[in-house]
Amino acid sequence: MNGSVPGPASSIEDIRLALQSWPEVESYLEGCKGVIVPLGSTEQHGPTGAIGTDAITAEAVALEVGKRTGVLVTPAQAFGMAEHHLGFAGTMSLQPATLLAVMHDLVLSLARHGFERVFVINGHGGNIATTKAAFAQAYGTAASRGLSVAPQLRCRLSNWFMAGPVMKQARELYGAKEGHHATPSEIAVTLCMEPSLLSKQRPLPDPAPAGPIHGPDDFRQRHPDGRMGSHPSLATAAHGTSLLDTAAAALSEDLRSFLKTA
Ligand code: NI
């Protein structure tokens, strides 16, 4: 049952969970047990990047994957684990235990309705460990609550910025100037999604090199403008359009195989 993939959606409205009625979701579940959850973060992205970068990019990739596969996309979880970015204004973070509880509860909600394949499209490295822990806990809870989907429930974390073809393209475009935080590739995707951000782009001095990350004060001391080895001024909206296409193609393939895997 979960092996079926709906096929390309005729419009983006058709795959946004927020725009469906509950009977529409019930009838969707008769044909497909898969759902996409975009997961971002609300945190500083260097002196020129938007605070919402990781949420904007995760949702953009998720909606594009949804359009190509016909799989429903939930509203974005825009807050992530960004404790180490709290030294910079505008950052809003969930502690690891809070994010774990949020992701656990969202998976359990979906599982209760019969969703068996939860595909989380993530835009922030700091969410990875906690989200995997949430999946482990959700499997246990689904079983202990006796949910009928428990034996079939599978969750997958797909970090769009770490997909092989995306990393390859980022390397070709920016080489070592891609860096590790506030990267030109993620900033490029925000520029194609939100043209108003183009006005913030300006040349920047060389960044502090990427290094270990500890608490928020230590982070700010090591990386005074928030960047970690990155040159976001190299980003263009055209790069963003192309990177978004690359990410959506790679993740759509990954999602199709996830839906078909027992
Ligand atoms: Ni980011």
Side-chain angles (χ1 to χ4, degrees):
M1 194 61 168
N2 54 56
S4 73
V5 184
S10 49
S11 79
I12 201 138
E13 289 77 16
D14 291 344
I15 48 92
R16 288 181 58 196
L17 177 76
L19 300 181
Q20 313 303 308
S21 64
W22 72 258
E24 286 171 329
V25 177
E26 268 197 357
S27 80
Y28 168 90
L29 276 162
E30 286 166 20
C32 179
K33 308 291 191 193
V35 64
I36 300 167
V37 180
L39 172 61
S41 182
T42 300
E43 67 184 44
Q44 69 87 12
H45 270 77
T48 55
I51 298 285
T53 294
D54 293 347
I56 292 167
T57 56
E59 184 167 48
V61 174
L63 288 172
E64 193 54 40
V65 171
K67 213 158 72 180
R68 294 178 188 207
T69 58
V71 174
L72 279 181
V73 180
T74 73
Q77 167 58 29
F79 299 105
M81 203 298 283
E83 295 291 290
H84 46 295
H85 293 288
L86 279 170
F88 297 87
T91 298
M92 298 169 72
S93 174
L94 301 180
Q95 297 174 70
T98 314
L99 179 63
L100 195 159
V102 168
M103 296 308 291
H104 167 272
D105 290 1
L106 296 180
V107 167
L108 264 290
S109 301
L110 292 163
R112 185 193 162 97
H113 308 308
F115 286 101
E116 298 174 356
R117 296 287 182 277
V118 181
F119 192 72
V120 176
I121 293 185
N122 175 41
H124 173 51
N127 290 336
I128 294 174
T130 306
T131 304
K132 287 184 174 172
F135 292 166
Q137 194 163 332
Y139 294 141
T141 310
S144 65
R145 287 186 192 170
L147 296 189
S148 59
V149 302
Q152 288 82 41
L153 182 62
R154 308 279 184 273
C155 304
R156 181 175 295 189
L157 182 62
S158 188
N159 307 299
W160 75 264
F161 54 97
M162 288 168 72
V166 174
M167 291 183 76
K168 180 170 177 283
Q169 190 175 357
R171 238 183 350 259
E172 287 164 3
L173 286 170
Y174 312 118
K177 295 186 170 181
E178 168 75 351
H180 293 268
H181 179 67
T183 63
S185 58
E186 63 179 339
I187 298 302
V189 173
T190 69
L191 297 179
C192 83
M193 296 308 296
E194 296 285 344
S196 69
L197 296 174
L198 283 163
S199 65
K200 298 190 204 299
Q201 285 288 92
R202 60 178 163 86
L204 295 169
D206 282 342
I213 303 173
H214 302 287
D217 297 332
D218 176 70
F219 187 111
R220 181 145 184 174
Q221 204 174 354
R222 289 170 193 264
H223 309 286
D225 74 0
R227 293 178 296 155
M228 293 175 72
S230 67
H231 288 73
S233 53
L234 300 174
T236 70
H239 291 166
T241 305
S242 177
L243 284 158
L244 183 56
D245 179 63
T246 302
L251 269 59
S252 294
E253 200 175 314
D254 189 25
L255 174 57
R256 287 190 193 99
S257 83
F258 178 52
L259 293 177
K260 287 181 190 139
T261 308

